[in-house]
């Protein structure tokens, strides 16, 4: 049996097991900002590397990039973010609570006090502004990036000439983005500081539609490859009225969260908007030369963009399962082995057997797997902890192991236990952790 987790279940698991903590909790907490603990970092690293692997294809060049988090005003003027990156904001005149106007039904009245006394809806720019250096004027104004993409666009010529690549090619970046969300909510779903995994695919205008379809398919298959339930994933194409200022067509990969179907990833045909704007505002030519046609053109861009934290949250929702074992219930995170933070646990049945088990653990550790040696508490308690953090396999060394040189391996999902030779552990883990075909 399994029940659907609530957001509270996920938040509580994350804190209890050290995946994610509210940032600055000691001082009352910072709304929309989170810190990642040991298991959270391991799992996020797995997501980052799965995402990078998923972009690879023998016939596609994808270069890596890591841009600065802060950019001068000129970049955001050109990108359109100063003029267009707004959310509609409204205040309740009675209880003084503030809302994103498109998040609530203003006709129904304030979700807190019920009164229908609103201020006018104002446009609120979501970028964090600062000044570089001691002088505060127009020339020192800078912004934390609200998307990672722009640093790729402003480096387009540097990237192209230094790597001698030809259109089409892609540039992938994983990095922080910042948005001063009016109402951060749903834990890692809508944050003020978050991480994006974005890939900008530069191509000609006449191939962009074909590549848009290609990347939509490719991105969908990524989610099933990392074990997300295909019934809970869908592709939804944007209405014209929903499109961002830079996009000519967008499709969202949506997931069915407990709070409804919501965007997990956006795939957008950005046309040549970004490079044209930067060319115009900087006065630098960002066109490329087409040798065959003997013309110059500004390339189009197809972008895939997913939040690493939102994906992290999605994997937790998808994996969180309550199984009933006879009279007992157990909580188990059925994460795909490639995403699980710990791949296998090595458990001596009793402390007396620590030494031989530690010896085996040390030997397996040399293979580079993220594994844990765990001798604290009863074996039942240790199994429960590893179920809750999604460890796919638990190896237990018992008194029989001393004589038969075999060990028990317990499968997290099926709970089946089998006895295998200690010499077979490396191959066993290697086989079970083989990366999914689509990665
Ligand atoms: N460069 C395009 C872009 O930034 P977006 O739809 O605004 O497009 C892309 O964001 C992805 O970034 C979203 O699909 C989501 O996964 C993630 N994201 C956006 N805002 C977020 C926030 N406030 N908190 C967490 N993740 C967010």
């Amino acid at each position: 049996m399994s029940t659907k987790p609530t957001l509270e279940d996920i938040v509580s698991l994350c804190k209890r097991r050290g995946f994610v903590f509210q940032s600055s909790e000691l001082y009352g907490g910072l709304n929309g900002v989170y810190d990642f603990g040991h298991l959270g970092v391991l799992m996020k690293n797995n997501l980052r590397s799965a995402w990078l692997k998923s972009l690879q294809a023998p016939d596609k060049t994808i270069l890596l990039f890591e841009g600065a988090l802060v950019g001068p005003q000129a970049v955001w003027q050109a990108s359109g973010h100063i003029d267009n990156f707004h959310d509609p904001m409204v205040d309740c005149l009675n209880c003084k609570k503030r809302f994103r106007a498109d998040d609530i039904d203003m006709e129904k009245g304030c979700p807190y006090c019920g009164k229908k006394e609103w201020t006018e809806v104002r446009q609120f720019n979501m970028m964090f502004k600062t000044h570089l250096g001691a002088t505060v004027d127009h020339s020192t104004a800078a912004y934390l990036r609200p998307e990672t993409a722009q640093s790729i666009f402003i480096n387009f010529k540097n990237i192209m000439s230094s790597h001698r690549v030809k259109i089409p090619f892609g540039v992938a970046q994983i990095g922080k983005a910042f948005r001063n969300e009016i109402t951060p909510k749903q834990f890692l779903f809508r944050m003020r500081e978050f991480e994006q995994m974005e890939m900008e695919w530069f191509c000609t205008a006449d191939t962009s539609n074909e590549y848009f379809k290609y990347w939509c398919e490719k991105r969908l298959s990524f989610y099933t490859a990392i074990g997300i339930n295909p019934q809970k994933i869908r592709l939804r194409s944007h209405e014209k009225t929903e499109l961002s200022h830079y996009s000519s067509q967008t499709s969202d990969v949506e997931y069915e969260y407990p709070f409804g179907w919501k965007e997990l990833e956006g795939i957008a045909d950005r046309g040549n908007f970004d490079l044209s704007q930067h060319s115009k505002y900087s006065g630098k030519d960002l066109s490329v030369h087409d040798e065959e046609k003997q013309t110059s053109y500004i390339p189009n861009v197809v972008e895939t963009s997913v939040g690493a934290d939102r994906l992290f949250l999605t994997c937790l929702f998808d994996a969180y399962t309550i199984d009933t074992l006879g009279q007992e219930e157990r909580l188990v995170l059925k994460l795909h082995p490639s995403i699980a933070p710990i791949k296998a646990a090595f458990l001596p049945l009793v402390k007396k057997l620590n030494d031989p088990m530690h010896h085996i653990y040390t030997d397996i550790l040399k293979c580079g797997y993220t594994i844990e040696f765990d001798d604290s508490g009863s074996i039942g308690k240790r199994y429960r902890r590893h179920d809750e953090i999604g460890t796919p396999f638990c190896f237990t060394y018992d008194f029989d192991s001393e004589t038969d040189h075999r060990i028990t391996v317990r499968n997290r999902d099926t709970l089946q236990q089998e006895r295998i030779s200690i010499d077979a552990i490396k191959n066993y883990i290697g086989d079970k952790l083989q990366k999914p075909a689509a990665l």
Side-chain angles (χ1 to χ4, degrees):
M1 190 209 66
S2 70
T3 42
K4 282 187 190 163
T6 63
L7 191 65
E8 290 69 35
D9 292 331
I10 300 291
V11 174
S12 143
L13 172 72
C14 281
K15 181 163 183 191
R16 190 169 70 249
R17 293 301 183 192
F19 282 89
V20 183
F21 308 108
Q22 172 82 62
S23 194
S24 303
E25 192 188 49
L26 205 58
Y27 294 95
L30 195 54
N31 205 2
V33 186
Y34 293 91
D35 298 328
F36 283 72
H38 179 67
L39 295 179
V41 174
L42 289 174
M43 181 168 149
K44 219 171 176 191
N45 280 343
N46 294 338
L47 288 172
R48 291 180 184 115
S49 69
W51 179 78
L52 281 173
K53 275 187 207 145
S54 76
L55 299 175
Q56 287 170 4
D59 59 342
K60 304 264 177 307
T61 301
I62 306 274
L63 302 172
L64 301 181
F65 192 76
E66 211 175 283
L69 307 189
V70 67
Q73 179 150 295
V75 168
W76 310 110
Q77 200 80 61
S79 69
H81 283 84
I82 288 182
D83 292 335
N84 299 302
F85 201 57
H86 295 119
D87 267 346
M89 178 173 75
V90 69
D91 295 321
C92 171
L93 287 167
N94 181 54
C95 70
K96 314 289 179 222
K97 288 265 186 290
R98 177 163 283 175
F99 303 94
R100 232 177 93 163
D102 55 354
D103 255 1
I104 54 167
D105 184 349
M106 288 174 62
E107 283 308 307
K108 278 196 181 153
C110 172
Y112 275 87
C113 70
K115 288 264 164 33
K116 225 163 100 179
E117 295 171 20
W118 299 113
T119 60
E120 267 182 45
V121 176
R122 288 103 68 215
Q123 293 300 324
F124 173 73
N125 190 290
M126 293 200 289
M127 283 194 296
F128 285 99
K129 188 176 185 179
T130 186
H131 286 271
L132 297 184
T135 316
V136 175
D137 67 23
H138 183 73
S139 67
T140 62
Y143 293 83
L144 290 180
R145 61 184 186 183
E147 60 169 7
T148 67
Q150 294 303 325
S151 56
I152 295 177
F153 301 140
I154 59 176
N155 276 285
F156 173 68
K157 275 273 149 130
N158 285 337
I159 294 170
M160 223 185 142
S161 55
S162 56
H163 292 281
R164 294 180 300 139
V165 278
K166 287 203 163 69
I167 301 288
F169 68 93
V171 182
Q173 174 168 206
I174 300 177
K176 288 272 187 174
F178 301 82
R179 295 182 189 181
N180 199 0
E181 297 282 354
I182 299 167
T183 47
K185 60 179 177 185
Q186 284 132 355
F187 193 35
L188 307 180
F189 187 82
R190 195 188 289 165
M191 303 157 81
R192 288 189 167 129
E193 175 183 331
F194 58 99
E195 188 171 291
Q196 284 186 318
M197 304 196 286
E198 300 201 299
M199 193 279 305
E200 311 302 322
W201 182 255
F202 296 96
C203 58
T204 57
D206 57 349
T207 55
S208 72
N209 194 39
E210 171 199 327
Y211 282 122
F212 178 76
K213 288 192 198 132
Y214 169 85
W215 286 112
C216 283
E217 285 302 312
K218 187 102 167 128
R219 300 308 305 141
L220 263 186
S221 65
F222 166 69
Y223 293 103
T224 42
I226 60 165
I228 303 268
N229 178 355
Q231 309 292 326
K232 290 187 153 235
I233 285 278
R234 71 180 184 195
L235 200 63
R236 187 185 67 84
S237 157
H238 276 212
E239 301 291 332
K240 282 268 173 282
T241 49
E242 286 178 87
L243 293 174
S244 309
H245 63 275
Y246 49 74
S247 169
S248 56
Q249 59 175 331
T250 294
S251 282
D252 285 345
V253 176
E254 293 189 332
Y255 181 79
E256 190 182 15
Y257 298 94
F259 39 89
W261 285 94
K262 301 274 177 207
E263 172 184 349
L264 165 60
E265 166 158 5
I267 300 139
D269 185 342
R270 298 181 74 125
N272 66 10
F273 175 84
D274 302 277
L275 292 182
S276 294
Q277 286 290 102
H278 288 301
S279 197
K280 184 169 137 197
Y281 278 72
S282 67
K284 309 269 165 49
D285 178 17
L286 296 182
S287 62
V288 297
H289 189 65
D290 183 330
E291 276 164 28
E292 241 172 59
K293 293 186 183 156
Q294 283 300 307
T295 51
S296 290
Y297 67 98
I298 296 204
N300 273 33
V301 171
V302 174
E303 171 187 77
T304 72
S305 174
V306 57
D309 313 274
R310 198 175 283 187
L311 175 56
F312 185 99
L313 177 66
T314 308
C315 289
L316 292 181
F317 270 124
D318 209 65
Y320 190 108
T321 312
I322 303 286
D323 275 349
T324 310
L325 309 169
Q327 301 291 342
E328 264 190 53
E329 281 194 342
R330 73 160 182 153
L331 161 55
V332 52
L333 266 193
K334 294 189 174 175
L335 290 168
H336 192 281
S338 65
I339 304 304
I342 306 291
K343 308 301 180 194
F346 290 77
L347 318 173
L349 185 64
V350 290
K351 287 221 166 131
K352 222 192 243 179
L353 298 170
N354 274 15
D355 282 354
M357 188 44 148
H358 202 269
H359 184 77
I360 297 168
Y361 161 76
T362 312
D363 191 38
I364 306 294
L365 201 58
K366 288 185 199 138
C367 302
Y369 299 120
T370 312
I371 55 174
E372 253 188 30
F373 176 82
D374 189 350
D375 66 349
S376 60
S378 71
I379 193 77
K381 258 197 179 150
R382 282 179 273 163
Y383 280 153
R384 268 200 299 285
R385 171 172 177 267
H386 283 284
D387 284 345
E388 282 199 18
I389 66 172
T391 307
F393 306 104
C394 285
F395 293 92
T396 304
Y397 189 95
D398 56 26
F399 290 104
D400 288 341
S401 309
E402 297 276 71
T403 48
D404 67 3
H405 200 65
R406 294 169 86 77
I407 198 164
T408 302
V409 49
R410 170 187 180 270
N411 182 302
R412 175 197 69 194
D413 299 341
T414 62
L415 289 177
Q416 274 181 348
Q417 303 203 358
E418 54 180 314
R419 235 43 215 142
I420 62 166
S421 160
I422 288 170
D423 301 329
I425 298 176
K426 279 182 197 163
N427 283 346
Y428 186 93
I429 299 181
D431 288 350
K432 302 284 179 187
L433 295 185
Q434 277 213 339
K435 65 180 187 330
L439 295 186

